[in-house]
Amino acid sequence: MAGEAPQYVAARVQRALAEDERTHELGIRVDVRGDQIFLRGQVGDEYRRETIAGVAGEAAPELELHNEISVVEVRDPGEEENL
């Protein structure tokens, strides 16, 4: 994939995240800068974060992966937030 434009690499990774049965993920932002790929967004647990990174790495093995996805606590609707 040498010479492939960054936006095409990002689109390929986003498509892999959306279509892979392990992830089916649409909410992760993928940015390609040079030979590096950055994943950004939020997920509910560490396992999901790592699975998404694995799928992205498979889709673009030629790039150095930076997993900047944050894990956030998912609350049930209507559950009160204690401050």
Side-chain angles (χ1 to χ4, degrees):
M1 319 273 167
E4 191 174 7
Q7 64 268 29
Y8 293 125
V9 177
R12 175 165 37 100
V13 173
Q14 286 182 312
R15 186 173 55 252
L17 293 177
E19 295 175 356
D20 192 289
E21 64 184 16
R22 294 168 290 176
T23 52
H24 293 294
E25 181 61 63
L26 298 173
I28 299 301
R29 195 167 83 237
V30 178
D31 294 314
V32 175
R33 296 200 185 121
D35 63 351
Q36 301 178 76
I37 187 167
F38 296 84
L39 304 177
R40 297 184 177 101
Q42 297 179 336
V43 295
D45 60 50
E46 184 64 29
Y47 176 78
R48 183 131 183 94
R49 179 181 183 273
E50 293 303 320
T51 301
I52 290 168
V55 170
E58 291 170 10
E62 71 279 10
L63 300 179
E64 180 182 341
L65 180 70
H66 298 274
N67 188 350
E68 298 180 357
I69 298 169
S70 52
V71 176
V72 295
E73 182 180 339
V74 178
R75 299 185 206 288
D76 289 329
E79 187 178 331
E80 287 188 26
E81 181 178 352
N82 296 322
L83 300 177

